[in-house]
Amino acid sequence: MKTYSVKEIAELLKTNPETVRRWIRDGKLKATQESRKGGNTVTEEELNQFLKNTPKYAAIAISGLIAGLPLPLLGLPLAAGGLLSKAFIEHVEAENAKVNPQSIITKLENNIVALEKNIQKKRTTITQLESEIKDETAQIEALNRSIAIIRRNREEI
């Protein structure tokens, strides 16, 4: 049976390896440890069970499959059987179909508004910084002129 390392699972589920280790410590994901140096390994069956119980990460794992792309690291396209069973993929697709498209659009629009506000704040900050740079450059020029005048006066004495 195929097994996966903590690193492979973390990359597949787009999370930190420490998060995967915490799942293992908490008993959410069953793993075996042949040696401390070798680290934990998770069987395909245990990983599938974890994904069935964790919709958030199941959706992440499936996102590459639905797009018809090979799974990261594993190189297993959906057509080749991949990591997840066809029944499980159909289950996740059915769950995703229950999501109200309007609520998704609303969330995305809210994200757009928030990003536009952030951009505007940053543009305002840039304008303020450019003004400060202009003022400080003028001060430097005035100080340099003062230095030049003092040097000339010192030479004349």
Side-chain angles (χ1 to χ4, degrees):
M1 174 169 279
K2 175 77 174 140
T3 60
Y4 302 96
S5 69
V6 167
K7 182 180 177 184
E8 288 173 323
I9 294 170
E11 289 180 11
L12 173 67
L13 301 180
K14 296 176 175 58
T15 192
N16 190 298
E18 187 53 38
T19 300
V20 177
R21 289 184 197 97
R22 188 175 59 249
W23 294 335
I24 292 169
R25 282 192 305 272
D26 293 346
K28 294 177 182 175
L29 179 61
K30 293 181 184 172
T32 58
Q33 188 177 37
E34 299 297 323
S35 68
R36 289 185 62 72
K37 187 175 180 180
N40 290 303
T41 57
V42 177
T43 65
E44 183 176 34
E45 181 180 325
E46 292 299 336
L47 180 56
N48 281 334
Q49 186 61 41
F50 171 79
L51 293 173
K52 286 178 186 176
N53 296 326
T54 316
K56 173 184 174 183
Y57 290 100
I60 292 169
I62 287 180
S63 64
L65 292 172
I66 292 174
L69 300 174
L71 284 170
L73 295 177
L74 307 176
L76 298 172
L78 177 60
L83 173 67
L84 305 168
S85 69
K86 183 178 178 184
F88 180 63
I89 292 169
E90 289 170 356
H91 166 75
V92 171
E93 287 174 336
E95 288 298 313
N96 288 341
K98 294 178 187 175
V99 175
N100 178 355
Q102 186 56 47
S103 68
I104 294 172
I105 291 170
T106 301
K107 287 181 181 183
L108 294 174
E109 289 173 340
N110 290 340
N111 284 343
I112 290 169
V113 169
L115 289 169
E116 287 173 340
K117 285 180 182 178
N118 285 340
I119 289 169
Q120 188 54 47
K121 286 180 185 177
K122 289 174 182 176
R123 285 188 176 141
T124 300
T125 302
I126 289 170
T127 301
Q128 291 170 344
L129 290 171
E130 286 174 340
S131 176
E132 290 175 21
I133 289 170
K134 184 179 176 183
D135 292 344
E136 290 174 5
T137 300
Q139 289 176 12
I140 290 170
E141 290 170 358
L143 293 171
N144 279 329
R145 283 193 299 273
S146 296
I147 291 171
I149 291 170
I150 293 170
R151 284 185 178 152
R152 267 185 292 188
N153 288 342
R154 191 175 62 188
E155 292 172 2
E156 292 175 1
I157 297 180

